[in-house]
Amino acid sequence: MPYHAVAVFDSGFNLMTLYIDGVPVDTGAMGQHTIQQLGFNTGGFGCGYSFPDPDLTGSIDELRIFAGVLTTNDVANSFLAGPDTLFAIGSNPKIKISIALSGSQPILSWPMGILEQANEITGPWTTVSNAVSPNAPPTSSQSKHFYRVRLN
């Protein structure tokens, strides 16, 4: 199963953040080290020179290195753009919510973020509890519902 993995190092805060499929999954300080102080056997990425990396089961399809710190939006845009496509740094991600029917039940799907619902387009918006994509929203007597995805 392919993953979109991104590691962002922010030297100003001495933090490394790992994103999987556009979503931050872990953040941690580099301790007393900076990224320049890491050796070939600490924090290495594909570090095998003339032998396979024993910690990597799989292959790397694409590698990008950026000058500067990518924001959460930048990482989300990279994931949404897909492989072999460059994205605009500093822009807001374009998240699409898809809707399909399973019988008479609507099914909502989205690539990332937190699903929110409102009875009017102007809100108030509330988080749909435990919603993961794809999601079958509960049916109600309300004649209309509006949905959006919040990224953070």
Side-chain angles (χ1 to χ4, degrees):
M1 173 188 235
Y3 291 98
H4 178 266
V6 176
V8 175
F9 175 63
D10 185 336
S11 62
F13 291 100
N14 197 31
L15 288 176
M16 181 79 77
T17 303
L18 176 64
Y19 296 82
I20 301 294
D21 293 341
V23 178
V25 295
D26 197 16
T27 298
M30 296 289 290
Q32 299 300 317
H33 302 284
T34 66
I35 204 162
Q36 292 87 3
Q37 294 167 324
L38 295 176
F40 73 92
N41 62 349
T42 56
F45 181 79
C47 63
Y49 293 106
S50 55
F51 55 90
D53 186 336
D55 297 321
L56 176 65
T57 303
S59 61
I60 298 170
D61 178 56
E62 186 174 333
L63 175 68
R64 296 179 186 179
I65 299 173
F66 293 88
V69 179
L70 296 181
T71 66
T72 300
N73 281 350
D74 293 331
V75 175
N77 280 328
S78 175
F79 172 67
L80 292 171
D84 306 319
T85 305
L86 294 178
F87 61 96
I89 292 176
S91 62
N92 289 323
K94 294 172 177 61
I95 304 292
K96 288 184 185 178
I97 299 176
S98 302
I99 187 166
L101 284 176
S102 176
S104 62
Q105 175 67 50
I107 306 293
L108 303 175
S109 300
W110 63 98
M112 65 179 59
I114 300 165
L115 186 66
E116 294 185 329
Q117 179 270 325
N119 294 330
E120 298 294 331
I121 192 74
T122 55
W125 293 91
T126 58
T127 300
V128 178
S129 297
N130 302 316
V132 293
S133 180
N135 180 273
T139 57
S140 72
S141 59
Q142 187 74 23
S143 62
K144 61 185 174 188
H145 290 283
F146 297 91
Y147 293 93
R148 71 180 185 186
V149 173
R150 180 172 45 91
L151 290 179
N152 51 20

